[in-house]
Amino acid sequence: QVQLVEAGGGLVQAGGSLRLSCAASGRTFVIYSMRWYRQAPGTEREFVASIRWSGGTTFYADSMKGRCTISGEKDKNTVYLQMNNLNPEDTAIYYCNAVVLGSAEYWGQGTQVTVSP
């Protein structure tokens, strides 16, 4: 089983930047892809960004409007999400997700991002 630990959430003002991280650990496993999701109060969880571990192909949700960059440090099984030009609509709990070989899927505990006007 894989454990995901997120960090980097906090309070920022509109227009500011934040970098989230998520480290995967556990018994022997091979990551296929890592993804970020977010969920604001009263809303459904929505996709933010993903990265293919082999090859580094990335994909972003339209909601981020090119304001974020996902990257990975593969030897540490860690994924990052750099977010720029944040606005209050970005306020949410951000969750890390990992898909491993064999299609098993794991979730982190989430990290709170709050953007003030």
Side-chain angles (χ1 to χ4, degrees):
Q1 194 168 1
V2 178
Q3 181 180 11
L4 303 177
V5 179
E6 296 133 314
L11 301 170
V12 296
Q13 292 186 335
S17 299
L18 206 60
R19 191 176 84 149
L20 309 181
S21 66
C22 172
S25 63
R27 54 170 166 78
T28 300
F29 60 91
V30 177
I31 295 176
Y32 175 76
S33 66
M34 298 192 76
R35 302 176 286 182
W36 288 96
Y37 291 79
R38 69 183 184 184
Q39 187 168 19
T43 70
E44 294 183 347
R45 181 183 62 188
E46 66 174 346
F47 170 80
V48 176
S50 68
I51 182 169
R52 184 74 60 85
W53 223 236
S54 179
T57 302
T58 58
F59 188 80
Y60 299 93
D62 291 340
S63 60
M64 295 306 297
K65 305 173 183 178
R67 297 178 291 116
C68 70
T69 301
I70 187 170
S71 61
E73 194 169 359
K74 297 178 181 179
D75 58 351
K76 295 184 178 180
N77 289 326
T78 300
V79 66
Y80 302 93
L81 183 68
Q82 176 69 46
M83 299 186 290
N84 303 311
N85 195 25
L86 291 166
N87 62 73
E89 302 303 317
D90 296 315
T91 295
I93 300 175
Y94 284 71
Y95 295 95
C96 177
N97 169 268
V99 179
V100 303
L101 197 64
S103 73
E105 190 171 325
Y106 300 92
W107 293 91
Q109 78 286 356
T111 183
Q112 177 70 49
V113 171
T114 302
V115 185
S116 62

